[in-house]
Amino acid sequence: MIMKAVVFAYHDMGCTGLNALINAGFEITAVFTHADSPNENHFHGSVAQTAQDKGIPVFMPEDINQPACLEQLGALAPDAIFCFSYRQVLSQQILSCARFGAFNVHASLLPAYRGRAHLNWVLIKGETETGVTLHRMTSRPDSGPILAQQAVSITAEDDAFSLHTKLVAMAGDKLASWLPALREGRLIEQRQDEAKASCFGRRKPEDGQINWAESAENIHNLIRALASPWPGAFSEANGKRYIVWKSHFSREPHTDAPGTILSTDPLVVACAAGTLEIVTGQCEEGVKLSGAELGRRMGMAKGQISVK
């Protein structure tokens, strides 16, 4: 049976999901996506271009829940709706347009890490595992019954980009079998356990400020969670901001105040518990530098406590 689908998608996960639907034999009648923001780093693939290359109509409404869009979706009369990293919440009216329902791929092991920035949050929280989840959409985002899941390990070397790449690849791999099984009614829905649910909310660039009164391990996790192409974790020295792109941490105890520069080559900073080596960083305007060169450029000195 050929199933007609309308797709709501953005970013790399959106391109992967769209291609997976096409490869699984779904008829895509329309794709809704977002215009790229001029304030963002556009390192990701373009859903709009992917759809246009396949001859699929593309729409970019500012408000998907406006009456004109609802009327348009009603006229399309899709059998199913699929959502991949789309940034607007779809109303119940939209979800109800699809005869067989609406389905979302979320890059976490639901019910854990619902909502925004789940990729960053699992790293910030020091998790060693996350995953991808296919679930039925309901009026509560990321809360509908689970149809399939696959775990993805988080290694000590992973940062935001490497984990993002793993999750997108895993989604593409699993959708190749999940989508035919969904169409044929072979996936069994399981209600989410609300007792295990978590949601930490969206993040803003200013949330990347390093608090040296945290443990070195927590600061290291923040740094890798915001590594390039994300905006980066940052601090200040001598009144100037700098970004930390890569770090190592040690749990070795010390007696210095948090923020004290313990060494300039390598560049090591005291934390509330343990120490953090800044391996790679960047002045607010400039190129990436070694920690030692960054310290020189920022005028840091051993024993200085001007680091915020």
Side-chain angles (χ1 to χ4, degrees):
M1 177 184 71
I2 296 178
M3 186 175 284
K4 292 194 306 179
V6 170
V7 177
F8 295 84
Y10 189 61
H11 219 280
D12 290 331
M13 189 68 82
C15 295
T16 294
L18 179 57
N19 282 323
L21 284 165
I22 293 168
N23 292 338
F26 285 76
E27 179 187 346
I28 314 300
T29 56
V31 168
F32 290 83
T33 187
H34 306 293
D36 289 331
S37 169
N39 301 319
E40 292 186 7
N41 183 350
H42 303 136
F43 66 91
H44 52 80
S46 168
V47 168
Q49 189 62 57
T50 301
Q52 288 167 358
D53 289 346
K54 304 289 186 181
I56 302 169
V58 176
F59 305 96
M60 298 182 185
E62 290 188 10
D63 178 9
I64 190 59
N65 295 299
Q66 60 183 297
C69 290
L70 292 171
E71 184 177 344
Q72 182 182 17
L73 284 163
L76 288 168
D79 295 316
I81 284 172
F82 288 92
C83 189
F84 308 100
S85 296
Y86 193 70
R87 293 179 171 179
Q88 295 185 44
V89 175
L90 305 185
S91 69
Q92 186 59 53
Q93 287 175 287
I94 289 179
L95 301 182
S96 299
C97 288
R99 193 158 56 104
F100 293 110
F103 306 93
N104 178 53
V105 170
H106 185 79
S108 82
L109 291 175
L110 292 175
Y113 295 93
R114 292 172 175 170
R116 302 287 187 91
H118 35 278
L119 170 78
N120 311 98
W121 278 116
V122 293
L123 289 167
I124 291 169
K125 297 293 183 180
E127 300 286 0
T128 57
E129 185 179 71
T130 184
V132 289
T133 302
L134 174 66
H135 70 97
R136 184 179 291 276
M137 299 176 73
T138 64
S139 57
R140 288 180 61 208
D142 304 326
S143 301
I146 293 170
L147 291 146
Q149 281 187 320
Q150 179 62 50
V152 172
S153 64
I154 303 173
T155 70
E157 290 73 36
D158 274 323
D159 59 16
F161 185 69
S162 67
L163 183 57
H164 164 76
T165 302
K166 280 185 184 181
L167 290 165
V168 171
M170 181 59 74
D173 180 64
K174 300 309 294 184
L175 283 168
S177 58
W178 288 351
L179 290 172
L182 174 66
R183 184 177 54 211
E184 295 159 16
R186 293 187 282 110
L187 297 181
I188 299 172
E189 298 186 8
Q190 296 183 355
R191 292 180 62 184
Q192 294 191 35
D193 184 349
E194 290 298 321
K196 296 180 180 179
S198 60
C199 180
F200 298 96
R202 69 189 307 169
R203 295 184 60 81
K204 304 179 292 297
E206 54 266 34
D207 295 330
Q209 182 162 16
I210 294 170
N211 177 8
W212 296 103
E214 290 272 353
S215 71
E217 184 173 6
N218 285 352
I219 295 170
H220 170 73
N221 284 336
L222 176 69
I223 290 165
R224 66 189 187 125
L226 302 179
S228 180
W230 275 262
F234 65 90
S235 187
E236 292 182 11
N238 298 316
K240 296 181 180 180
R241 178 180 291 197
Y242 64 93
I243 298 170
V244 182
W245 291 121
K246 187 176 182 180
S247 61
H248 295 314
F249 74 93
S250 169
R251 296 189 179 93
E252 186 174 345
H254 61 83
T255 57
D256 294 270
T260 301
I261 299 170
L262 303 179
S263 166
T264 56
D265 191 2
L267 182 56
V268 179
V269 184
C271 307
T275 63
L276 187 97
E277 178 188 350
I278 298 175
V279 177
T280 308
Q282 181 177 334
C283 301
E284 193 165 19
E285 294 182 1
V287 297
K288 292 182 181 179
L289 306 166
S290 69
E293 181 60 26
L294 175 70
R296 284 191 287 272
R297 295 279 185 97
M298 297 296 295
M300 298 181 189
K302 184 176 179 179
Q304 184 179 16
I305 317 180
S306 63
V307 180
K308 289 188 177 181

